[in-house]
Amino acid sequence: MGLSQRVDRFAAGRITPEMLADPYGAIQPTPITGDRFFAAPSGDLVPGVPVRDRTAGGILPRPRTTVRQFMVGSTDALGRSVAVTATLMEPRRPWRGRGSRPVVVHNVAIDSLGTRATPSYRIVHGIGQDFPTVVPLWLQRGYAVLIPDHQGPRMAYAEGTMAGHAVLDSIRGLLAFDATYAASPIVLYGYSGGAIATAWAAQLHPTYAPELDLRGAVAGGSPVDVGLLRETMNGTLGSGLFGAAIIGMAREHPALVEQFSPTGLALASMIKDLSVVPLALGGLARLRLERFSVDPGVFDSDTARAVIDANTAGRNAPTIPVAFYHGASTPRFADRWIPEQGVLDLVESWRGLGASVEYHPVFGDHFVGALSGLPYAMRWVADRFRD
């Protein structure tokens, strides 16, 4: 029996009446317990208004950095009130540059389904998660680093609108709970899963949070077209993360859950609290996700098309400068998982709408490109702060 058949049999044996009665609830992540800071507040919240904050410690000592965390009101992909959390890391030495200390909004590639994988939890209770490791470089330059938990309370991996709202409301929250950053220049950064949050925050900024004075946004390895990922990740070694992304989007779009077969629902409920590494290893089974749907042509269904279209950036343009870098310089060693074409299409679309967009191809696949493109991203951010 092959690995994929073993997965089928294992999942089918775990279907319960409770899952079938409430499929949407069955795929939701388990809430964080043992840390009251993350407890969900009651009632509707105002986007950008802080709910609570704290100064945090952690397993790893950070003698040169102050860590503060806050919860703030936000809005999910369907317009519902939610709370999101964020972490601010500040160098303890005074800022020696011009004006107020700059802020890099660093969108970590979370790429996970479990709440304990969200950055603010890991910073306090784990060792953090940052690939490539850029946060120490920002801090070394004297920048403050704001790390939004951009997947939101349902850990909606790959859902663009939720991520964009979470980022923008985290910035609002920072300015509300610490007035010393009112005049600080702010730039957004993210790679891979973090690029989703960065690109969507840039696109939603003019309509959702136009009062924010942002200097720009730079993103690398950007999966900005969900439809293209079907060709490169479904049924391949990337299928574990692709399947996790489908679950993440279904958490914000309940109609998509109705397309899950009973076996697909059972499998989703089994992996609903996993972090990026075991999810990625699930790609060894090379599963095609159509096998776990009630419709073999699910990706062409009206429901799936609506969710894919809602998560493909490009409909509206940013009003701030934007830069993309992507592994594409050498065709035989390009980014095989995240097609360059999606970024090129978005650049063309945004430029056509009048946006200022740079594109910088770099050497390497998705992982090598993360490192080879880093000097470009660091220079681009520094230039925005000098301007």
Side-chain angles (χ1 to χ4, degrees), residues 259-299:
Q259 301 296 316
F260 289 21
S261 70
T263 303
L265 181 62
L267 181 60
S269 71
M270 290 163 52
I271 67 173
K272 68 179 185 177
D273 290 321
L274 295 185
S275 60
V276 58
V277 173
L279 289 172
L281 291 175
L284 294 172
R286 298 174 182 262
L287 299 173
R288 296 197 64 84
L289 300 188
E290 297 91 337
R291 297 174 50 201
F292 300 99
S293 172
V294 294
D295 179 5
V298 62
F299 285 108

Side-chain angles (χ1 to χ4, degrees), residues 65-328:
T65 305
T66 298
V67 178
R68 295 189 288 167
Q69 299 182 318
F70 60 90
M71 177 180 285
V72 65
S74 190
T75 310
D76 73 4
L78 300 184
R80 298 169 294 191
S81 175
V82 293
V84 298
T85 47
T87 296
L88 178 69
M89 305 183 76
E90 305 164 295
R92 290 184 177 172
R93 68 180 186 276
W95 169 245
R96 304 295 186 186
R98 289 171 137 184
S100 300
R101 187 190 299 275
V103 178
V104 176
V105 181
H106 181 96
N107 296 308
V108 174
I110 306 171
D111 301 356
S112 302
L113 294 176
T115 52
R116 292 175 182 267
T118 206
S120 291
Y121 184 86
R122 291 179 65 98
I123 286 170
V124 174
H125 300 280
I127 58 173
Q129 174 184 312
D130 181 25
F131 178 81
T133 303
V134 188
V135 170
L137 302 179
W138 300 134
L139 294 171
Q140 186 179 40
R141 293 189 173 200
Y143 306 155
V145 181
L146 177 63
I147 304 176
D149 299 325
H150 56 77
Q151 290 189 183
R154 301 184 190 93
M155 293 299 288
Y157 171 33
E159 214 297 323
T161 300
M162 177 69 258
H165 288 172
V167 171
L168 295 170
D169 283 319
S170 294
I171 300 171
R172 284 169 162 167
L174 168 63
L175 301 180
F177 100 93
D178 191 338
T180 62
Y181 287 102
S184 293
I186 300 173
V187 172
L188 315 180
Y189 161 84
Y191 190 84
S192 191
I196 297 174
T198 301
W200 276 94
Q203 176 168 299
L204 293 170
H205 167 235
T207 54
Y208 186 75
E211 79 282 3
L212 294 178
D213 184 14
L214 307 180
R215 293 290 180 89
V218 57
S222 309
V224 291
D225 189 333
V226 179
L228 291 177
L229 303 184
R230 175 185 173 188
E231 305 300 324
T232 59
M233 301 185 76
N234 191 26
T236 72
L237 288 174
S239 60
L241 289 179
F242 185 61
I246 298 299
I247 295 170
M249 288 186 285
R251 287 172 168 176
E252 291 289 305
H253 300 274
L256 192 58
V257 185
E258 298 174 6
Q259 301 296 316
F260 289 21
S261 70
T263 303
L265 181 62
L267 181 60
S269 71
M270 290 163 52
I271 67 173
K272 68 179 185 177
D273 290 321
L274 295 185
S275 60
V276 58
V277 173
L279 289 172
L281 291 175
L284 294 172
R286 298 174 182 262
L287 299 173
R288 296 197 64 84
L289 300 188
E290 297 91 337
R291 297 174 50 201
F292 300 99
S293 172
V294 294
D295 179 5
V298 62
F299 285 108
D300 297 315
S301 68
D302 291 343
T303 299
R305 286 308 319 169
V307 174
I308 291 172
D309 290 346
N311 284 278
T312 300
R315 187 169 302 169
N316 302 302
T319 54
I320 58 175
V322 177
F324 290 102
Y325 59 99
H326 207 89

